[in-house]
Amino acid sequence: MYLRAGAVVSPWSVYSESQAGLQVLRPVCRPLAYFSRPPQQLFAGDLAENGTFRSRVRLVGSAQGRRVYELDVHQITPVVEQPWSPRVIRNVLVERTPGDYCEIWKEQSGGVVLSNVLLSMIKGSTLVWARDSVIGNCGCSDQQAWVLDHGVPYYLDFFGPLEKAVDALLPPGDDVHTGDPLSVATLSYSGAVSTRGDNAHQASGGHIEIRLAIHGHTLSVTSAHYSPPAPAHRPAARP
């Protein structure tokens, strides 16, 4: 199921997110009934062999002639308690041809609270996306998004263009560590900057603001601005 290094990624490939990180798998396309099977059959190896589960298949919506479904599976009572095993699995399915659905996103919750998947028109583009809250005190979220371009879903890699823009703007060693800077809903990245002299919850290095745009299925930076702090307020870097 895993793609070989250098293999061409199809728009219909599965982006699988778990505690191991984000992996790209080969396309899995079947009738909707295939994805509505009992969880133990559909997710063999991902769920406890014994236990009870609650699942639902929800129509997210329709756009560009494609229907989008969300499949959630909640593990209720495992026989053997395994804190590291997933308690929730989410599948997102997009209709490729009438009656044929492809799994584009599979997420096993590990440290996040899964929210409903959304189908939204954002800045002139149709996005399939979700904003999941990260468990803890960071006040941040995990956001993933696909854009429909003529009915084909393309994964939006926010990390690539944002990393280049942030590295080009900020002083060496500075970064955005606090808050929730990415907003898929507004295609923007905005936050306070932390310096090397800040602790985990400080951000004394000014402010960064980046705007993005989608053209077809290509994500690009349209503007990027960094406002440095006043010199008197910038702490000296720790040795």
Side-chain angles (χ1 to χ4, degrees):
M1 288 297 296
Y2 290 93
L3 292 170
R4 297 188 305 273
V8 177
V9 177
S10 163
W12 301 100
S13 294
V14 183
Y15 284 76
S16 178
E17 189 171 12
S18 66
Q19 293 179 351
L22 187 64
Q23 299 172 318
V24 184
L25 313 179
R26 297 183 185 279
V28 177
C29 302
R30 300 284 191 279
L32 186 61
Y34 171 87
F35 297 101
S36 302
R37 294 181 300 159
Q40 295 92 327
Q41 297 178 18
L42 186 61
F43 299 111
D46 292 328
L47 293 172
E49 294 183 3
N50 299 300
T52 58
F53 306 91
R54 181 180 70 246
S55 63
R56 71 165 183 171
V57 178
R58 183 179 73 91
L59 176 64
V60 176
S62 300
Q64 300 180 6
R66 315 287 186 178
R67 284 178 290 184
V68 179
Y69 280 89
E70 175 184 6
L71 167 63
D72 292 333
V73 176
H74 294 255
Q75 184 170 302
I76 308 300
T77 56
V79 173
V80 179
E81 182 64 24
Q82 295 177 319
W84 60 87
S85 64
R87 291 296 181 265
V88 182
I89 294 180
R90 174 172 63 197
N91 264 15
V92 179
L93 313 171
V94 176
E95 191 173 27
R96 183 171 61 171
T97 57
D100 185 44
Y101 289 84
C102 293
E103 177 185 11
I104 63 167
W105 185 9
K106 176 182 176 182
E107 182 164 5
Q108 302 181 33
S109 69
V112 298
V113 178
L114 300 184
S115 62
N116 281 339
V117 172
L118 303 173
L119 182 60
S120 309
M121 181 68 71
I122 296 176
K123 300 294 181 83
S125 298
T126 304
L127 268 60
V128 179
W129 66 290
R131 180 182 183 275
D132 302 320
S133 299
V134 174
I135 297 172
N137 59 4
C138 69
C140 50
S141 66
D142 178 37
Q143 300 180 72
Q144 303 288 353
W146 282 252
V147 61
L148 291 179
D149 185 10
H150 295 86
V152 179
Y154 292 89
Y155 177 71
L156 290 177
D157 177 16
F158 286 90
F159 179 78
L162 285 174
E163 183 184 35
K164 291 180 180 178
V166 170
D167 287 348
L169 285 174
L170 298 185
D174 288 9
D175 204 347
V176 180
H177 295 304
T178 62
D180 199 16
L182 175 63
S183 170
V184 170
T186 59
L187 294 181
S188 64
Y189 182 92
S190 176
V193 177
S194 298
T195 72
R196 287 178 292 182
D198 290 334
N199 64 34
H201 301 289
Q202 287 182 320
S204 63
H207 190 272
I208 192 170
E209 181 84 24
I210 300 173
R211 299 287 176 178
L212 304 111
I214 301 171
H215 303 281
H217 57 267
T218 302
L219 183 69
S220 62
V221 173
T222 58
S223 65
H225 181 70
Y226 168 55
S227 301
H233 294 99
R234 186 179 181 87
R238 292 178 179 175

